[in-house]
Amino acid sequence: MHANPPTPAAPATLAELIAALRARAAASQTSPAVRADYQALLSAQGLSASQMPYADYAYLRLLFEATRDGGYWNLHWTITDREPNSDAIWTQWRALRAIGPGRVSANAECDEISALYAFLARRGGVRNVGLFWPTGNHTVAVWSLPGAPREARIVVPTTQIFLSQYDSFGTRGFDPWKQPRIYEYGRRDVSDDLRLPPELSAFFIAQAARYADASGLSLQRLRGLRDRVLDGAMSREEAVQHAQSQRQRLPAGADRDQLAYAYFIREMREPG
């Protein structure tokens, strides 16, 4: 199996965190699983590589798996009735002093999580990511891609609400053209010099190093297990048992997925 690259030192500021995430996303481009997912999305959406640059895709894919409900940054969906921005998420993160397996890093509603995703996308240099309301009471993110013959819109389902367990990055479960305009999320929710607790920023980078190279399918399955642990619907040991069963069914040569499952099992078995 291929070992993941060494985890860098914990970023001190938001700007350093984003730079580290972009570097990790760039490294993930060498993963056959990431490349295969990219090619599959190009084909499904009828896009060219020039219309959807691989580097931007890899960064947005990493953010998606990290920040989604049940993703590997341990965000958890709940009803909050807060405004559609990520301010409260950053407030919770700044107050956090311990993070570990099965422990929620921040609670947020769908519009807050989608705003966080869009905010980090723009701060990382990817434009035209905004919020989309497929229904009056639900929000996801959309990545708009200009080009001929017309603009393309990639749905980024930051939660699984109103979707099946199989819907993921680029889902067709929502029609993004129901909304006439997708406005780029331009609000600066926090400043680039925001300082995060060192343990939390180290956790964010370590999780990206562990999981960014795996296939979307394996990450979707692991998200489902992690989400049930965060929600209290499954114990960590039960999640380990399911993960071991799924890992045994991985196809030959899925080295990056094997590593991701190994990390997940180890994480769920950590004390705390």
Side-chain angles (χ1 to χ4, degrees), residues 65-66 70-75 99-105 203-204 206-211 219 222-223 225-227 229-230 235-237 239-240 243-244 247 259-272:
E65 298 293 353
Y72 54 72
W73 282 4
N74 291 9
L75 277 159
I99 183 66
R103 182 176 294 181
V104 173
S105 70
F203 173 78
F204 285 167
Q207 291 293 87
R210 291 164 181 161
Y211 293 107
L219 291 173
L222 290 173
R223 187 220 72 88
L225 297 177
R226 188 184 295 105
D227 184 59
V229 171
L230 294 175
S235 71
R236 283 194 277 160
E237 185 51 41
V240 166
Q244 288 174 328
R247 188 185 186 196
L259 280 172
Y261 270 95
Y263 281 125
F264 180 84
I265 291 167
R266 185 192 310 169
E267 179 184 348
M268 287 295 122
R269 284 178 166 166
E270 289 177 4

Side-chain angles (χ1 to χ4, degrees), residues 2-74:
H2 298 277
N4 280 322
T7 303
T13 65
L14 173 62
E16 291 177 9
L17 173 64
I18 290 173
L21 292 175
R22 285 250 36 164
R24 187 62 192 84
S28 77
Q29 293 179 65
T30 64
S31 165
V34 177
R35 169 65 72 172
D37 285 351
Y38 172 65
Q39 295 292 347
L41 186 59
L42 287 179
S43 177
Q45 298 284 342
L47 299 172
S48 67
S50 60
Q51 193 172 2
M52 186 170 70
Y54 188 28
D56 288 350
Y57 165 81
Y59 178 61
L60 292 190
R61 179 187 191 271
L62 183 153
L63 286 184
F64 168 66
E65 298 293 353
T67 64
R68 63 190 307 202
D69 171 41
Y72 54 72
W73 282 4
N74 291 9

Side-chain angles (χ1 to χ4, degrees), residues 114-139:
S114 299
L116 172 70
Y117 178 83
F119 169 72
L120 290 174
R122 179 158 182 169
R123 300 315 303 155
V126 181
R127 302 297 304 271
N128 301 315
V129 179
L131 306 186
F132 167 53
W133 282 261
T135 67
N137 61 348
H138 185 46
T139 312

Side-chain angles (χ1 to χ4, degrees), residues 213-228:
D213 292 345
S215 71
L217 179 58
S218 286
L219 291 173
Q220 182 80 335
R221 289 169 173 164
L222 290 173
R223 187 220 72 88
L225 297 177
R226 188 184 295 105
D227 184 59
R228 295 188 70 188

Side-chain angles (χ1 to χ4, degrees), residues 32-245:
V34 177
R35 169 65 72 172
D37 285 351
Y38 172 65
Q39 295 292 347
L41 186 59
L42 287 179
S43 177
Q45 298 284 342
L47 299 172
S48 67
S50 60
Q51 193 172 2
M52 186 170 70
Y54 188 28
D56 288 350
Y57 165 81
Y59 178 61
L60 292 190
R61 179 187 191 271
L62 183 153
L63 286 184
F64 168 66
E65 298 293 353
T67 64
R68 63 190 307 202
D69 171 41
Y72 54 72
W73 282 4
N74 291 9
L75 277 159
H76 181 242
W77 176 88
T78 191
I79 295 174
T80 66
D81 294 325
R82 292 191 288 247
E83 292 297 315
N85 58 58
S86 65
D87 295 22
I89 296 175
W90 293 104
T91 297
Q92 291 174 76
W93 279 346
R94 292 180 71 183
L96 200 63
R97 293 297 175 264
I99 183 66
R103 182 176 294 181
V104 173
S105 70
N107 287 294
E109 207 160 348
C110 55
D111 51 357
E112 296 175 273
I113 298 173
S114 299
L116 172 70
Y117 178 83
F119 169 72
L120 290 174
R122 179 158 182 169
R123 300 315 303 155
V126 181
R127 302 297 304 271
N128 301 315
V129 179
L131 306 186
F132 167 53
W133 282 261
T135 67
N137 61 348
H138 185 46
T139 312
V140 296
V142 165
W143 181 22
S144 300
L145 297 164
R150 69 168 189 168
E151 168 193 3
R153 292 181 178 179
I154 308 298
V155 176
V156 185
T158 45
T159 72
Q160 296 300 118
I161 297 171
F162 300 135
L163 296 171
S164 79
Q165 61 179 315
Y166 304 106
D167 286 289
S168 190
F169 195 98
T171 179
R172 297 296 181 93
F174 296 132
D175 176 10
W177 295 98
K178 283 180 58 179
Q179 189 168 302
R181 293 283 302 275
I182 304 292
Y183 293 96
E184 181 179 42
Y185 189 83
R187 186 176 185 273
R188 183 169 292 197
D189 294 349
V190 293
S191 64
D192 290 346
D193 60 1
L194 174 81
R195 302 186 76 84
L196 291 172
E199 182 177 343
L200 184 66
S201 59
F203 173 78
F204 285 167
I205 294 302
Q207 291 293 87
R210 291 164 181 161
Y211 293 107
D213 292 345
S215 71
L217 179 58
S218 286
L219 291 173
Q220 182 80 335
R221 289 169 173 164
L222 290 173
R223 187 220 72 88
L225 297 177
R226 188 184 295 105
D227 184 59
R228 295 188 70 188
V229 171
L230 294 175
D231 201 36
M234 178 183 287
S235 71
R236 283 194 277 160
E237 185 51 41
E238 288 174 321
V240 166
Q241 293 170 8
H242 283 284
Q244 288 174 328
S245 177

